[in-house]
Amino acid sequence: MLSWLPEHPIRFPPVDTALDDPGGLLAAGGDLSPAWLLTAYRRGIFPWYSEGQPVLWWSPDPRMVLLPGEIRVRRSLAKRLRNGGFHVTADTAFDAVVSACAAPRRDQPGTWITDEMRTAYGRLHDLGAAHSVEVWHDGALVGGLYGIALGPVFFGESMFSRATDASKIALVALARAMARDGGRLIDCQMHTAHLASLGARDIARAEFIGYLEQWLGDMPDGEHLLASNAIAPPTWSFTRLGEAIMTEPRTRGDGSLEQ
């Protein structure tokens, strides 16, 4: 049975009570305030719903993740990184990245990134918890991604591309910066072939929650987190993210990074 959440108190049911059909649906209700969202991510839960629906909260099993050191850069992508004329920044165009991610795709008639969602993640960006990675070419924004960064974990939300491999370049820059400066995990939420081609893999939800407990276990939930200003800052520097794309670390035979 699906759990319905009041606006107060901020409390989620155990993630192992999520439905099997649709897979990972945990609860409905609550709201998209920073306290609700940060509590959710801390517990391995994220919102995903369409216009006209209540807020729906998910915790899928298995969970797709990318370990930063396992980012896979194939020859064609490596060549584009070196010679494609792309420039990577972070947190310089957060609203533009979210808007681009929200634009309808050819295979999708609508978008789950509603105005309510855009406002909510804008608040998290103002608090220093939500971040964007931007990819530019000839002064135009051609790709990027956004998500939540807490300690050594990045919770990816969405990415977009207006030029070949532009979203991949954003993810490579993020993964390389995290691998260099102590980042441990990129949450990709659900399986896609696109992310799998870059080295992401599925793990059991219990394993994913174990990682969060290990790396974010000291972070309080809800209002206590905001009141005590205890949002765990990322271990890597977003201001230096563009440097990471120019760094070509040594790789193993499968294309993943050496630690």
Side-chain angles (χ1 to χ4, degrees):
M1 181 181 296
L2 184 66
S3 297
W4 287 85
L5 309 176
E7 291 189 9
H8 297 285
I10 299 174
R11 185 176 300 139
F12 288 99
V15 294
D16 59 8
T17 64
L19 301 180
D20 293 328
D21 185 20
L25 179 58
L26 178 67
D31 63 37
L32 294 180
S33 66
W36 270 99
L37 286 170
L38 292 172
T39 298
Y41 284 100
R42 160 70 180 78
R43 294 179 176 274
I45 302 163
F46 59 88
W48 183 36
Y49 64 100
S50 299
E51 191 76 51
Q53 292 180 327
V55 179
L56 300 177
W57 301 94
W58 301 76
S59 185
D61 187 15
R63 189 84 165 217
M64 176 160 258
V65 301
L66 174 63
L67 304 184
E70 294 182 359
I71 186 75
R72 186 178 297 130
V73 181
R74 301 191 185 278
R75 287 185 179 179
S76 60
L77 179 56
K79 182 177 180 180
R80 191 163 280 114
L81 287 169
R82 291 192 303 269
N83 306 319
F86 294 99
H87 174 56
V88 179
T89 60
D91 290 336
T92 65
F94 182 85
D95 291 340
V97 169
V98 176
S99 295
C101 289
R105 318 275 170 105
R106 281 180 295 179
D107 56 342
Q108 298 174 349
T111 179
W112 59 271
I113 306 176
T114 63
D115 289 344
E116 184 181 29
M117 292 279 275
R118 292 169 62 176
T119 298
Y121 285 87
R123 292 194 194 104
L124 288 180
H125 178 62
D126 292 340
L127 290 170
H131 300 268
S132 60
V133 179
E134 305 95 24
V135 180
W136 308 84
H137 191 273
D138 290 337
L141 181 65
V142 296
L145 59 83
Y146 77 96
I148 310 299
L150 299 174
V153 182
F154 185 81
F155 300 88
E157 275 299 307
S158 187
M159 57 175 55
F160 81 98
S161 186
R162 294 171 178 159
T164 301
D165 289 341
S167 62
K168 293 181 180 180
I169 290 170
L171 187 59
V172 170
L174 174 65
R176 286 181 173 177
M178 290 178 67
R180 182 186 61 195
D181 293 330
R184 304 299 294 271
L185 186 73
I186 299 174
D187 172 29
C188 303
Q189 297 183 348
M190 297 182 181
H191 184 96
T192 70
H194 175 72
L195 291 168
S197 72
L198 292 164
R201 53 190 170 92
D202 292 326
I203 64 173
R205 178 172 56 209
E207 183 179 359
F208 175 72
I209 298 300
Y211 286 142
L212 299 187
E213 288 299 317
Q214 178 182 351
W215 296 322
L216 301 177
D218 293 336
M219 194 179 92
D221 284 339
E223 291 93 345
H224 296 293
L225 185 153
L226 296 172
S228 60
N229 195 28
I231 298 175
T235 61
W236 65 96
S237 170
F238 276 96
T239 59
R240 296 177 55 223
L241 196 79
E243 300 172 16
I245 204 67
M246 303 306 296
T247 303
E248 297 188 32
R250 293 177 299 174
T251 59
R252 307 183 183 94
D254 62 359
S256 61
L257 302 183
E258 288 186 359
Q259 294 284 21

